Amino acid sequence: MQFGFTQKTNSHDRKKKTSGERKLVQFYREGKIFLLLILWVNPLMSLPISVEESKQFRDIGKYFEYTIPENPEAQLSEILNENTVWRPNPKNVISFPRSQYPVWLKITLIHYGNFPHTFFLHLSNPVVDLFELHTEINGKWITQWSGEQVLQRNKPIYSHISAFPITLSSNETRTIYLKIRSDNPIFSFVSLYNSRTFIAYSKSQDIFFAAYFGAGFMMFLFSLFLAHTLRYKKFFYFFFYLATVLFLNTYFTGFIQYLEISYSNSWKNYLFPITIHLSSIFGLLFTLEFLETKDYYSKLNKITNTYIFLIILLMFSIFFLNLRNFIQLTVISIIIAIFLAITISTMSLIKSKKKLEVILFLLAFGSLMFGASLHTFTVQGFIKPIHYATYSLPLGSALEVFFLSLALVLRVSDYRKSNELKQEIDLQLKIAQKLQNGLLPQKRTHALDYPLGFRYSPATDIGGDFVEIIVKEKELGLFLCDVSGHGIPAAMIASMTKVSLEIWNDILEKPALAAEKIRKSLLSLLSGHFVSAFFVYLNPREKILRIANAGHLPLLHLDRNGNMTTYTSYGRAINEYIKSDIIEMSFPLPENGTLILFTDGVIEARNIQTGELFGEDRFHNLIQSLSNKHPQFICDSVIDEIEKFQKSKRSDDDITILALSLDSNFES
C-alpha cells in the first residue's frame, strides 16, 4: 500500500474534486518533495491514506481523527457540522480510557487501483464494544454495526471479529466515520486489509481458535475427570480455573459474539471483569494447593490467601463503581495475581523436591504473563502493533494450559504410584487382619461350661494382642499376650507366638515349661520386640489353678461380694537378650467368682484432653461394681467406660480383656 495525501474535504463536496486537489494528487504521484513543502506551509492539512489492493496496510490508528461530543446521544448529522472540532489521534491505537461518552473517529481513504475493490477495516477489541461505521454511498449514508456477518461468494468470512467491508471504486476518495459506544476503556489497534488477505486472515483465525477451543474443551473434560476421580482439591481448582480461562478467551477472540441472550449485550461487559476475578481466585488457589506452599512458605501462603479474600471483596465493588473503573481495577488485580503466582513458583523451585513440576508451573504462568503483556502493550499503544498480537493472549494461555497439563500428568503419575503402593499396603493389611482374626477367640460364650467374656480394641487396624483358649476334656488353658508396639510387625510376631503355642497344648499342666520352650522358639524372630504373656491352667476336678507370668499384669479374681484377689508369679517378658526366668505357681481354684486377664492398654488409656490415665484404681473400682455381672457384660462395660474416659474410640495402645466365670450355672 502507499500513503497518499489530499486536502481535507467534507462529505458533501467529496465527489466534486477541485482542480487544486487533482493537482495535489498529481504532485504526489510525481514526487514527494513538493508534497512535503505543501505540508510545511499548511501543517493543519489532514493525511488521508492511499490504498492499493496489491498491498496490505496495517497500523492505521495514528491516521484517525477523533472528537467526543458533549451530547452523548449526538447523531451523525451533528458530527458532520462544520463546527465540529477534530483532533489527531494521539496514539497508534484507539485509546480513550477516561472518556465515558461515545467517541467519534474519522479517516479518509483514497483508492488508486484500476478496479473497484473491497477492503476490510479490522478493530482488535478484547471486549464487547459496539462499533458503528457510517459511510456515504451514492448520496446515501449507510450504517454498519460490528458483529454483522458479511458474505463472500455466499459464505460468511467473519462473524466473531469486529471488521467492516469498505468497497472503493477506482480513484475514489471516501471519508468514513466510526462511532465507538462502550462502557469499557476503549483500546483497540486498527488494521486495513485487502479482501484476499482478510479472507486468509479470518480463515487462519477460525482454524487456530477452533483448534484452541477444541483442545481447551478436551482439557476441560480431562480436568473434570481428574477432579471427580481423584477428589483432590488441586484438581477441582484447576477445573474451575481452566473453565474461567476458556470463557475469558471467548472475549479476546470475539467468539462471545455468538452467545446471544435477549436483545442486550450489556451483560457480557459485566461478566467480563467478573470472570477475570474468578480466574484470579481459582488460579491462586490452584497455585497454593499444587505447589503445597503451606509446607514451605507459611507467610507467603497467608499473604496469598489474604489477597484472594481481598479479590472476593473487590468483586462486590461492581455495585458501587461504574463499569469502566471496575474493569480497570480488575486488570490491576489480575496483574498482581499473576506476579504472585510467578513469585510462589519461583520460591517453590528452591525448596520443592519435585523440580520438574515446579519448572513447568513457572513456564505456564510465564507464558501467560508474556502473552498478556504483549497484548496489553500493543492495544495500549506502548509498542507498535504487530499481526500476531491478536493471537498473543490466547496463545499464551494455551501454552499455560499445556505446561500445567504436563505438570498435572506428572502429579497424577505420582498419585498413581502412591495409590498402587497404598493398594498394596491395604492388601497386606487385609492379610494381616485375617491373621489377627485367627489369633482372637472365635465367637464362644462358654469354656468347659464356664461363662466366658472377651473384648478387643486395637490401637490401629492391626494389633499385637493375642488371646488363646485351650479346652480339653477336663482341663482348661487361658493364654493372653501383648507384643510390644502395634501394627503389622506386632501382628506377625503374635501369629508366630500362636504357632509356638502348640507346644503348650501337649503339656497344658506345665505352663512354665511351655513358656520357656515358646521363648526359645521365638528368640530369632523377635527383631527387638518383646512379648509379655500370662499362662493360666485350670483343673476343675482337682481344684487347681496354676499360673506362669512372663512380665505381664497379674490375674484378677473377683468374688460375688466385690472382693478382689491378685494371682501372679515371677518372670520377665520374653525377649532375645535376657532370660525370662519364669517361675510357676499353683493355687487352690476358687469356688466361684470371675477370673479376669487384661493388657496394659486398659489402665494406660489416656484422656485426649487432659492427658490423665485411666489407671488401676479406676479400673478396679469399675470391675468391683460389676462383681455380680456376666463376664461379657463386664468386658463390654470396661471398654465402654474407657472410650468415654479418653473421649475417643481409638487408644494409644491395644486394649484386651478376658473374663471367665467360675460358676457354671451363672446367668446374671
Side-chain angles (χ1 to χ4, degrees):
M1 292 184 182
Q2 299 176 352
F3 293 98
F5 306 96
T6 185
Q7 189 175 6
K8 184 186 296 186
T9 59
N10 292 327
S11 59
H12 299 289
D13 57 359
R14 191 168 52 203
K15 294 183 179 179
K16 300 177 181 179
K17 295 183 179 180
T18 62
S19 58
E21 184 179 2
R22 294 192 183 93
K23 291 180 180 180
L24 182 60
V25 172
Q26 183 179 359
F27 287 151
Y28 172 75
R29 288 177 173 176
E30 293 176 354
K32 297 180 180 178
I33 298 178
F34 187 69
L35 174 62
L36 293 175
L37 179 62
I38 294 178
L39 291 176
W40 180 75
V41 174
N42 187 6
L44 296 179
M45 184 180 296
S46 61
L47 303 177
I49 300 176
S50 174
V51 294
E52 293 182 4
E53 60 184 279
S54 60
K55 295 184 180 180
Q56 175 186 345
F57 187 88
R58 293 181 57 84
D59 185 19
I60 64 172
K62 60 184 176 182
Y63 298 105
F64 279 91
E65 294 178 294
Y66 80 94
T67 185
I68 303 176
E70 296 181 358
N71 178 18
E73 302 299 327
Q75 301 299 315
L76 179 63
S77 57
E78 300 178 50
I79 300 300
L80 295 176
N81 191 299
E82 60 183 11
N83 296 324
T84 300
V85 178
W86 294 93
R87 298 179 176 85
N89 186 32
K91 297 183 178 181
N92 291 333
V93 296
I94 309 302
S95 178
F96 299 93
R98 296 183 180 180
S99 175
Q100 298 185 19
Y101 294 129
V103 177
W104 285 83
L105 303 159
K106 79 169 182 176
I107 191 170
T108 301
L109 304 175
I110 306 175
H111 175 42
Y112 288 121
N114 296 322
F115 303 97
H117 189 78
T118 299
F119 298 91
F120 287 88
L121 184 71
H122 174 220
L123 297 101
S124 176
N125 60 309
V127 289
V128 182
D129 295 327
L130 181 61
F131 298 106
E132 294 179 15
L133 183 72
H134 301 272
T135 181
E136 188 179 14
I137 300 177
N138 297 326
K140 293 183 179 181
W141 284 99
I142 305 298
T143 303
Q144 302 175 63
W145 289 272
S146 56
E148 290 184 330
Q149 195 173 78
V150 173
L151 298 179
Q152 183 81 5
R153 296 178 182 177
N154 297 323
K155 294 182 180 180
I157 58 174
Y158 77 91
S159 57
H160 61 273
I161 49 181
S162 298
F164 297 96
I166 301 172
T167 301
L168 298 175
S169 301
S170 177
N171 295 321
E172 179 183 358
T173 301
R174 181 182 299 176
T175 300
I176 59 174
Y177 294 84
L178 186 68
K179 179 183 179 182
I180 304 179
R181 187 195 308 274
S182 173
D183 290 324
N184 303 303
I186 302 170
F187 49 95
S188 180
F189 59 91
V190 190
S191 307
L192 193 66
Y193 294 86
N194 61 32
S195 58
R196 179 180 299 177
T197 305
F198 182 76
I199 292 172
Y201 170 72
S202 62
K203 286 182 178 179
S204 64
Q205 270 208 335
D206 287 341
I207 295 173
F208 173 81
F209 292 132
Y212 171 78
F213 284 110
F217 183 70
M218 294 300 295
M219 278 305 306
F220 177 81
L221 295 179
F222 176 64
S223 64
L224 179 61
F225 170 76
L226 289 178
H228 175 73
T229 305
L230 299 177
R231 302 300 175 95
Y232 289 104
K233 287 194 293 185
K234 56 178 66 65
F235 295 112
F236 281 103
Y237 292 148
F238 179 72
F239 165 73
F240 287 112
Y241 174 67
L242 180 60
T244 56
V245 168
L246 289 175
F247 188 76
L248 271 178
N249 277 298
T250 62
Y251 281 91
F252 290 104
T253 58
F255 280 91
I256 192 67
Q257 298 284 4
Y258 290 131
L259 188 59
E260 295 292 340
I261 299 178
S262 73
Y263 294 100
S264 174
N265 284 329
S266 61
W267 63 271
K268 298 179 184 178
N269 287 331
Y270 282 93
L271 193 58
F272 173 67
I274 292 176
T275 308
I276 293 179
H277 277 290
L278 292 175
S279 67
S280 300
I281 293 170
F282 289 117
L284 289 176
L285 287 173
F286 173 67
T287 300
L288 295 179
E289 195 68 25
F290 184 84
L291 297 179
E292 300 173 349
T293 55
K294 188 185 299 183
D295 300 333
Y296 303 106
Y297 302 103
S298 57
K299 290 185 178 180
L300 184 59
N301 186 77
K302 291 179 181 178
I303 292 173
T304 307
N305 280 314
T306 302
Y307 184 67
I308 292 172
F309 180 72
L310 178 62
I311 294 176
I312 295 174
L313 293 180
L314 288 176
M315 290 179 64
F316 292 96
S317 64
I318 195 171
F319 297 107
F320 310 104
L321 299 176
N322 62 54
L323 187 57
R324 183 181 298 272
N325 292 333
F326 182 71
I327 291 178
Q328 291 175 331
L329 180 64
T330 301
V331 172
I332 295 174
S333 69
I334 195 173
I335 290 174
I336 297 175
I338 295 174
F339 273 114
L340 263 177
I342 293 177
T343 302
I344 293 171
S345 55
T346 302
M347 295 180 68
S348 297
L349 188 61
I350 301 173
K351 290 192 174 183
S352 178
K353 296 179 181 179
K354 301 174 181 178
K355 300 292 185 182
L356 182 56
E357 296 178 18
V358 180
I359 291 174
L360 290 172
F361 200 91
L362 187 60
L363 288 173
F365 279 94
S367 301
L368 178 64
M369 174 62 79
F370 178 79
S373 300
L374 178 61
H375 186 88
T376 301
F377 291 154
T378 303
V379 298
Q380 292 291 346
F382 297 122
I383 62 176
K384 185 177 180 180
I386 58 176
H387 182 68
Y388 291 102
T390 307
Y391 302 92
S392 59
L393 191 58
L395 188 59
S397 63
L399 289 174
E400 177 203 25
V401 172
F402 172 73
F403 287 127
L404 288 180
S405 301
L406 290 180
L408 282 174
V409 167
L410 293 177
R411 186 60 58 90
V412 170
S413 177
D414 291 341
Y415 286 142
R416 182 180 58 81
K417 292 178 182 178
S418 63
N419 284 336
E420 290 176 353
L421 180 61
K422 182 178 180 299
Q423 290 174 359
E424 183 178 351
I425 293 175
D426 289 342
L427 179 60
Q428 295 175 359
L429 284 174
K430 288 180 180 179
I431 296 174
Q433 283 175 342
K434 289 182 179 180
L435 291 174
Q436 179 77 42
N437 293 333
L439 301 177
L440 302 176
Q442 300 303 316
K443 291 183 179 180
R444 58 193 306 172
T445 59
H446 291 77
L448 281 182
D449 295 329
Y450 292 143
L452 181 70
F454 170 76
R455 279 292 298 271
Y456 172 62
S457 178
T460 59
D461 292 334
I462 306 297
D465 289 358
F466 164 40
V467 173
E468 180 73 356
I469 301 172
I470 301 175
V471 180
K472 290 190 174 183
E473 185 177 352
K474 298 177 182 179
E475 298 171 302
L476 178 63
L478 302 177
F479 175 81
L480 186 146
C481 79
D482 182 4
V483 181
S484 62
H486 43 264
I488 294 178
M492 295 301 293
I493 293 175
S495 65
M496 290 184 288
T497 305
K498 177 179 176 65
V499 174
S500 301
L501 200 61
E502 292 294 328
I503 299 171
W504 190 30
N505 194 48
D506 297 330
I507 49 175
L508 194 60
E509 73 281 0
K510 298 178 180 180
L513 178 61
E516 181 61 24
K517 290 186 176 183
I518 291 172
R519 185 188 75 83
K520 290 180 179 179
S521 68
L522 292 175
L523 282 179
S524 61
L525 305 173
L526 292 175
S527 302
H529 291 269
F530 63 88
V531 179
S532 66
F534 205 102
F535 297 78
V536 180
Y537 168 72
L538 298 175
N539 190 324
R541 174 177 292 184
E542 298 180 8
K543 303 297 182 183
I544 295 175
L545 171 63
R546 190 171 292 150
I547 64 170
N549 188 0
H552 200 78
L553 294 169
L555 169 70
L556 300 181
H557 173 254
L558 190 67
D559 66 19
R560 298 306 171 202
N561 296 320
N563 298 315
M564 189 171 59
T565 304
T566 61
Y567 295 92
T568 188
S569 63
Y570 180 80
R572 300 188 186 94
I574 298 172
N575 64 85
E576 54 192 315
Y577 305 111
I578 304 174
K579 289 185 177 181
S580 297
D581 295 331
I582 298 172
I583 297 176
E584 183 178 288
M585 295 187 68
S586 296
F587 303 92
L589 181 65
E591 293 291 335
N592 55 36
T594 304
L595 295 176
I596 300 175
L597 282 173
F598 61 98
T599 58
D600 56 3
V602 172
I603 59 177
E604 293 178 0
R606 188 181 300 274
N607 185 295
I608 61 175
Q609 296 177 348
T610 64
E612 181 185 2
L613 294 178
F614 193 73
E616 287 185 353
D617 293 340
R618 186 178 276 105
F619 173 59
H620 292 164
N621 292 335
L622 174 61
I623 61 175
Q624 285 176 320
S625 67
L626 303 171
S627 59
N628 291 316
K629 300 298 182 181
H630 190 278
Q632 188 60 53
F633 185 84
I634 293 175
C635 295
D636 292 338
S637 298
V638 170
I639 297 297
D640 291 342
E641 288 299 319
I642 289 175
E643 291 178 352
K644 290 178 183 178
F645 172 79
Q646 63 187 9
K647 310 294 185 184
S648 172
K649 291 188 176 183
R650 288 284 187 176
S651 304
D652 295 333
D653 196 5
D654 302 328
I655 298 175
T656 305
I657 181 169
L658 174 68
L660 180 75
S661 175
L662 298 176
D663 303 299
S664 58
N665 297 322
F666 181 75
E667 296 296 341
S668 298

